[in-house]
Amino acid sequence: FFFDFGRLYFRGTSVPKNTSSTRLHAHISTYISQVCPKMSAEGFKKSMMGMFETAKKGAAQASEATTVAAKKAKLMSEIKWLESKLKSRKEKFGVDVYDSLINNEHGEVDRILSLCKAELEELKQEIMEKQGQLDLLRANA
């Protein structure tokens, strides 16, 4: 049996819309007993339920795999962004400190270095946290 544009077909014949579910069940049971004489309607129902359960489990696993893949992609993207930000900050440090070095302003160089070092450590810590989360996802996959 199958549905097509709101009509039910059983064994290639359109089933009238006013057919009761009991009568349809009787048709299906008769057909099953002809095709599979050893399988009862109850056995057929159990096998269909098993098939649906298997399909449901497969869909749930696929959904979980997609969710994990999306989380991995997001973490990898965030890590790349943080690494880019880290590199940019190092470049900015060179620009910031250059004039102070040329003018022999060692106090200013030390101040800029301590500020930059704190920012860089914070970025490195964020990268390590994201990498840890990514490693955990990979280990559990």
Side-chain angles (χ1 to χ4, degrees):
F1 57 96
F2 64 93
F3 291 96
D4 184 27
F5 298 107
R7 294 201 51 109
L8 176 65
Y9 290 84
F10 178 68
R11 295 180 60 195
T13 306
S14 175
V15 177
K17 287 188 178 187
N18 60 354
T19 303
S20 70
S21 61
T22 307
R23 186 165 178 189
L24 183 60
H25 179 64
H27 283 298
I28 293 170
S29 295
T30 303
Y31 178 70
I32 292 168
S33 65
Q34 290 170 356
V35 174
C36 303
K38 293 184 180 180
M39 182 182 281
S40 66
E42 191 62 34
F44 177 76
K45 183 178 177 183
K46 285 181 183 178
S47 75
M48 290 302 288
M49 292 305 290
M51 182 182 74
F52 289 130
E53 286 300 317
T54 302
K56 222 163 85 172
K57 286 177 186 176
Q61 290 170 345
S63 173
E64 179 66 25
T66 302
T67 301
V68 169
K71 287 178 182 179
K72 286 180 188 177
K74 180 181 179 216
L75 285 170
M76 289 189 296
S77 175
E78 289 173 348
I79 289 169
K80 290 291 182 195
W81 179 74
L82 287 169
E83 288 171 344
S84 173
K85 196 171 174 182
L86 185 72
K87 182 181 178 194
S88 295
R89 184 57 186 111
K90 287 177 181 179
E91 290 170 353
K92 186 178 181 308
F93 168 74
V95 171
D96 291 346
V97 84
Y98 179 78
D99 289 333
S100 298
L101 282 172
I102 295 298
N103 296 328
N104 271 340
E105 298 171 350
H106 296 291
E108 183 65 13
V109 170
D110 290 340
R111 185 187 71 76
I112 294 171
L113 178 63
S114 66
L115 287 173
C116 182
K117 187 176 179 183
E119 289 177 29
L120 293 176
E121 289 302 318
E122 186 177 312
L123 287 169
K124 287 178 184 177
Q125 182 63 34
E126 285 183 63
I127 291 171
M128 286 176 39
E129 287 173 9
K130 301 282 183 189
Q131 189 63 51
Q133 293 172 9
L134 183 60
D135 292 342
L136 186 61
L137 280 174
R138 286 179 176 158
N140 291 337

